[in-house]
Amino acid sequence: MIAWQPEVVFVERGLENSRILSNVRAYYPSVPVHAFEPPLPMPPKDFAAAKRQLVIQRHRGSFLHHCPAGTTGLVCCNYLVVHLGANCPFDCSYCFLQEYLANSPALRLFANIEDALAEVAAVLRRHPQRRFRIGTGELIDSLALDHLTEHTRTLVPFFAAQNNAVLELKTKSASVDGLLALPASENVVVAWSVNAARVIEEEEPGTAPLAARIAAARRLQDAGYRVAFHFDPLIALEDWPKAYREVVDLLSASIDPRRVAWVSLGHLRLSPGLKRAMRERGRGTRLLAAEFVPGPDGKERVWRGLRLPMYRSILQWLESWDPDIPRYICMEPAGVWERTFGEAPSDQEVAARLVGRAP
Ligand code: SF4
């Protein structure tokens, strides 16, 4: 279980008997719980303090969204995200939530997962010819709080029963006990963000160390799950060839490449608002010291002269590990794809290659 714990819990009236609240009470018996009527109570201004204010609520409005990578000018993998909560118990220095959730930073868990799945089911039914890749790890870590939400108990059987969708659970935790208690499904992929050990130690407080992430992935593979890895955000460390080679070596020492659904690579991306939020919080000072250039989506990245060799080298190491692992780069324009892979596939082609691989 992760080290985070709430300091106070707010539960929307009507959810006092919810599974989430009963788990919260069991795990954190001394934490005060207050019932509230929407709107949400005002969270503390401090972002880190707001993450320890836990809100259990019904989500109103749409759960399913297109991944923000679907921006003009970038090759996109047609990824959909379903939001089952917002904000995260970890506090990575570069996290975009510092900007995105600046006005509602409390850590929210949505208790009405049945409404989310009804919306997903309707979309899958409307497009039987399409094969969807859907993730839950955009605004909240997919597994870190599974001991409270138990969302995997609902999600895994739901996606196991679909014939045109794959669920990706994305995490920086090693919280896989809930999944291990369920029968694995080919339609469920569990993905880890991985990074150089130094980046994890310095920039991703509260998350599981690299070795623990890989060990958790191995346990899931042994239980029949497919796994995936995201080298994201890549950081142009001075010794990046050594630092990222070590990550690939650790993966190849433990993980069965035939059960790796995909691996993605993406460089650090910083919007002006995120840079401002990081500076205000005194976070990521070393990351911000690099030179950045603006991209077509208004976000800054290190210049191509650094991005391309890092992509090419890591992709080559992955290819030497197993040439059949599907690989892609995230949130990059067609020109970077061409100079990395020698081609710039359409969004549909990228998506089809990722979900079309037979297990
Ligand atoms: S794990 Fe992801 S969502 Fe959580 S703080 Fe880190 S970057 Fe943000």
Side-chain angles (χ1 to χ4, degrees):
M1 200 172 76
I2 61 167
W4 169 92
Q5 72 167 53
E7 282 174 356
V8 61
V9 177
F10 291 94
V11 60
E12 184 179 330
R13 280 204 195 284
L15 296 175
E16 291 91 339
N17 296 320
S18 62
R19 185 165 69 188
I20 299 181
L21 183 61
S22 110
N23 286 336
V24 168
R25 286 191 196 279
Y27 278 99
Y28 313 110
S30 58
V31 174
V33 175
H34 307 285
F36 76 95
E37 296 281 357
L40 282 174
M42 277 301 288
K45 283 212 165 57
D46 177 72
F47 194 73
K51 282 172 177 272
R52 293 189 298 277
Q53 180 169 306
L54 178 63
V55 177
I56 301 166
Q57 65 171 120
R58 298 180 70 77
H59 179 61
R60 293 159 178 84
S62 172
F63 287 85
L64 199 57
H65 301 264
H66 206 285
C67 166
T71 313
T72 317
L74 300 177
V75 176
C76 163
C77 62
N78 266 337
Y79 193 74
L80 297 181
V81 288
V82 57
H83 297 320
L84 298 175
N87 216 337
C88 174
F90 306 136
D91 197 7
C92 302
S93 65
Y94 52 78
C95 179
F96 83 107
L97 298 179
Q98 295 169 100
E99 177 194 13
Y100 192 78
L101 296 178
N103 294 325
S104 55
L107 201 164
R108 289 175 284 150
L109 299 178
F110 302 149
N112 51 332
I113 187 171
E114 65 287 351
D115 294 338
L117 294 186
E119 189 181 328
V120 172
V123 171
L124 301 186
R125 268 198 312 272
R126 265 204 309 278
H127 305 280
Q129 75 294 351
R130 264 186 73 180
R131 214 163 138 67
F132 291 86
R133 209 161 59 107
I134 300 177
T136 60
E138 178 77 9
L139 296 187
I140 189 166
D141 186 286
S142 296
L143 295 181
L145 298 178
D146 198 45
H147 59 294
L148 302 180
T149 63
E150 297 183 38
H151 280 336
T152 54
R153 272 175 54 177
T154 311
L155 289 166
V156 172
F158 172 86
F159 278 90
Q162 309 305 320
N163 53 23
N164 62 338
V166 170
L167 169 71
E168 183 182 43
L169 298 165
K170 208 186 281 185
T171 190
K172 285 185 183 140
S173 77
S175 306
V176 294
D177 289 347
L179 287 170
L180 289 169
L182 299 165
S185 162
E186 286 301 317
N187 292 347
V188 176
V189 173
V190 187
W192 275 266
S193 302
V194 289
N195 219 313
R198 196 164 79 241
V199 173
I200 292 176
E201 275 160 34
E202 293 176 4
E203 310 294 343
E204 300 180 352
T207 64
L210 180 60
R213 297 182 201 182
I214 296 173
R218 178 71 224 192
R219 287 176 73 203
L220 283 187
Q221 275 198 331
D222 289 343
Y225 284 91
R226 292 193 295 156
V227 298
F229 299 98
H230 299 286
F231 286 71
D232 202 329
L234 289 175
I235 305 295
L237 301 164
E238 271 177 27
D239 63 341
W240 66 261
K242 179 174 176 293
Y244 285 105
R245 179 70 209 229
E246 276 170 11
V247 181
V248 177
D249 287 347
L250 283 171
L251 287 173
S252 59
S254 296
I255 300 297
D256 177 356
R258 296 164 302 176
R259 302 291 294 159
V260 174
W262 49 75
V263 175
S264 81
L265 272 59
H267 267 274
L268 179 66
R269 306 169 281 281
L270 297 170
S271 68
L274 174 55
K275 284 174 83 173
R276 209 165 32 246
M278 289 169 70
R279 286 204 180 96
E280 280 168 13
R281 296 189 65 215
R283 307 298 314 283
T285 313
R286 281 167 52 141
L287 306 186
L288 291 169
E291 259 185 62
F292 296 102
V293 289
D297 54 354
K299 292 179 185 161
E300 296 181 1
R301 295 153 174 83
V302 291
W303 68 301
R304 286 184 186 198
L306 256 178
R307 298 207 314 272
L308 286 165
M310 288 184 71
Y311 285 148
R312 288 185 190 132
S313 296
I314 298 170
L315 288 166
Q316 213 170 55
W317 300 330
L318 291 167
E319 183 159 353
S320 322
W321 173 25
D322 186 316
D324 292 332
I325 298 173
R327 298 176 292 272
Y328 65 101
I329 53 176
C330 189
M331 291 194 159
E332 288 288 5
V336 173
W337 272 80
E338 269 158 18
R339 295 178 65 187
T340 304
F341 290 101
E343 59 156 1
S346 70
D347 298 354
Q348 285 74 17
E349 279 168 332
V350 179
R353 287 177 197 177
L354 296 176
V355 291
R357 190 195 196 198

